[in-house]
Amino acid sequence: MELLHDINIDFMKWRRFWVTVSFAVIAIGMIAMFTVRHLNMGIDFAGGTQVTLKFRDKPDVDALRTLLEQAGLAEAVIQRFGKEADNSVILRTPILKGTEEGSGAKLTAALDARFNAGTNGFDLNQQGTGSLASLLSGVDPDGVGPAKAPAYYEAMAETILGVRKQAGLLTDWSQLASAPGVGTKALEALKANARLGHFSVLSLENVGPQVGSELRQRGILAVVFSLIGMLVYIWFRFELRFGIGAIMASIHDVLVTLGLFTIAGFEFNLTTIAAFLTLVGYSTNDTVIIFDRVRENMRKDRGAALIDVMNHSINQTLPRTILTGGTVFVAAMALLVLGGDVIRGFAFIMTVGVVVGTYSSIYIASPFALLWEKYFGKGKLASGKAVATASAPPRRAADAGQRRPAPRKR
């Protein structure tokens, strides 16, 4: 399929305007990040406890906040999770001073006292496989005997908790009626010795202050070293001026996306770092495609100005850029819309990053390569024409060296 065949757009004509726009967008994002919105640091980096809960009835966020304040967790953050009908929320509490265990036990105890008040016994929505297997082994409803009971009931416990995991919360005993390996006697024993609580803990994560600090430091180093690695690779693969252009484009993409990510309010965590590393790789790949074409065209047309070669090369690679970027954008957008809350931050970075990365390969990488050539190239020349001369291949320079000197005027 041919797309934008034989186009000739003067991209570099507007390079100063778009570079200015990019700096303005970066400035707005940085101001938002450091003054207004701040980066929403997840527990991976900030430390603390995060608990995902599913309730039998629709949870009242204000009542939950009051409950946590009464439990001494006034700084807890409460956020709805998934669809409204799921009755799920995420509770995030900061690091408790003087403890590494976090506030998970304190938080679930407060919830248990509020939502399961007046009920006693084994809560099938709270306990794990070992506890349930011990309960069933002690009762032995199927009469397998003490020797076989541990293994037999551990397998049954895993089946029961598998049903709970799939449903998120057991609300009725009939949910276990069709579970394989759970007979009528076992189900009656559970009804007699256990209860179904009003909430379940879907996940509980706790990160101490030291671990959070180390993860934060390593995440930043991962992005920095990836940028340096890209610079070195392109330096050896092409030339330093192209490496400078590519690294500026990658830094631009990270800063623009980070600013928009901050304004959107998504959580910054380890998954986010993975998304930024992917973004750096995508941006560099897009830039390398253009620079590779620039290098080919420089060999074909040795007398052309570098700025003209870049314009020609961008026009030649634009159809491929649009097709590859468009397919990645559609996939990332599908993840953003349909992927759910867990990967929404990752999908947001990829969606924005594809657009920003494609734009920067044209209006950031190439202008900065030209700028580097202008001030730090072989000739350190100042005009656009001079840039063209300085960008001429070595053969032309050799030819110039063989030219006869002009005769002196007498």
Side-chain angles (χ1 to χ4, degrees):
M1 181 179 70
E2 290 190 358
L3 181 69
L4 300 175
H5 186 62
D6 290 335
I7 56 174
N8 186 25
I9 302 173
D10 189 0
F11 288 101
M12 292 298 99
K13 179 181 179 181
W14 301 98
R15 64 186 186 280
R16 293 182 179 85
F17 170 78
W18 286 113
V19 168
T20 305
V21 170
S22 291
F23 275 109
V25 172
I26 290 173
I28 293 172
M30 293 302 101
I31 291 172
M33 189 169 71
F34 289 107
T35 60
V36 184
R37 296 280 294 180
H38 297 290
L39 202 55
N40 180 18
M41 301 288 277
I43 65 167
D44 295 346
F45 300 131
T49 301
Q50 177 172 302
V51 184
T52 305
L53 299 162
K54 182 177 179 62
F55 291 89
R56 179 176 297 187
D57 303 315
K58 182 180 179 181
D60 186 335
V61 173
D62 293 333
L64 279 176
R65 186 169 288 108
T66 303
L67 175 67
L68 296 179
E69 288 175 358
Q70 293 172 349
L73 301 170
E75 298 181 4
V77 176
I78 304 173
Q79 178 183 356
R80 291 192 182 278
F81 178 72
K83 299 178 181 177
E84 187 173 354
D86 292 341
N87 297 336
S88 299
V89 296
I90 294 177
L91 303 181
R92 192 181 307 137
T93 60
I95 297 172
L96 290 181
K97 293 182 179 178
T99 177
E100 289 284 338
E101 287 75 17
S103 57
K106 189 175 183 179
L107 194 150
T108 52
L111 293 171
D112 201 43
R114 166 65 179 80
F115 291 97
N116 295 325
T119 59
N120 297 313
F122 188 93
D123 188 352
L124 205 56
N125 280 320
Q126 297 288 330
Q127 301 297 329
T129 305
S131 301
L132 180 56
S134 298
L135 173 70
L136 291 170
S137 295
V139 180
D140 193 11
D142 290 347
V144 296
K148 297 181 179 178
Y152 180 82
Y153 289 112
E154 185 174 353
M156 184 182 292
E158 289 179 354
T159 301
I160 293 172
L161 295 190
V163 174
R164 188 187 78 185
K165 183 178 180 181
Q166 188 173 9
L169 179 72
L170 294 174
T171 57
D172 194 282
W173 293 109
S174 62
Q175 291 175 269
L176 300 176
S178 58
V182 182
T184 306
K185 293 181 179 178
L187 188 57
E188 292 300 323
L190 287 173
K191 290 180 181 178
N193 296 278
R195 60 186 171 91
L196 300 179
H198 284 71
F199 73 93
S200 66
V201 179
L202 301 182
S203 67
L204 193 154
E205 301 172 64
N206 180 61
V207 178
Q210 184 64 30
V211 175
S213 175
E214 290 181 3
L215 289 175
R216 185 168 59 247
Q217 185 179 9
R218 291 181 182 182
I220 294 172
L221 288 176
V223 175
V224 171
F225 281 129
S226 71
L227 292 173
I228 295 174
M230 295 294 179
L231 172 64
V232 173
Y233 165 73
I234 296 176
W235 186 356
F236 280 99
R237 179 75 171 79
F238 298 97
E239 297 174 28
L240 178 59
R241 54 185 171 180
F242 294 139
I244 295 297
I247 202 70
M248 290 303 295
S250 296
I251 293 173
H252 163 273
D253 296 347
V254 170
L255 293 180
V256 169
T257 308
L258 185 62
L260 296 176
F261 186 83
T262 304
I263 295 172
F266 290 109
E267 182 180 297
F268 191 83
N269 49 33
L270 286 176
T271 307
T272 308
I273 292 293
F276 274 110
L277 291 173
T278 307
L279 169 60
V280 170
Y282 177 85
S283 173
T284 305
N285 178 65
D286 212 25
T287 305
V288 164
I289 291 173
I290 294 177
F291 283 167
D292 200 34
R293 185 59 61 92
V294 170
R295 187 176 58 173
E296 291 177 6
N297 288 333
M298 286 174 65
R299 291 172 180 167
K300 293 178 182 176
D301 192 358
R302 294 177 178 273
L306 181 58
I307 189 170
D308 295 333
V309 174
M310 281 187 168
N311 252 331
H312 186 49
S313 303
I314 293 171
N315 278 287
Q316 285 182 325
T317 56
L318 190 61
R320 178 180 176 179
T321 301
I322 292 176
L323 286 175
T324 55
T327 53
V328 177
F329 177 80
V330 170
M333 182 61 80
L335 275 179
L336 181 63
V337 176
L338 305 173
D341 292 335
V342 175
I343 60 170
R344 188 145 291 156
F346 179 91
F348 177 84
I349 293 173
M350 292 306 302
T351 305
V352 174
V354 168
V355 178
V356 175
T358 303
Y359 156 81
S360 70
S361 63
I362 298 173
Y363 280 114
I364 298 297
S366 298
F368 273 96
L370 286 171
L371 197 65
W372 180 269
E373 181 63 26
K374 179 178 179 180
Y375 290 105
F376 303 102
K378 294 177 181 177
K380 298 181 181 179
L381 305 174
S383 66
K385 183 178 179 181
V387 169
T389 307
S391 305
R395 181 178 173 182
R396 189 180 178 201
D399 293 341
Q402 295 172 358
R403 193 175 300 159
R404 292 181 179 178
R408 293 181 179 180
K409 294 181 180 180
R410 295 182 178 178

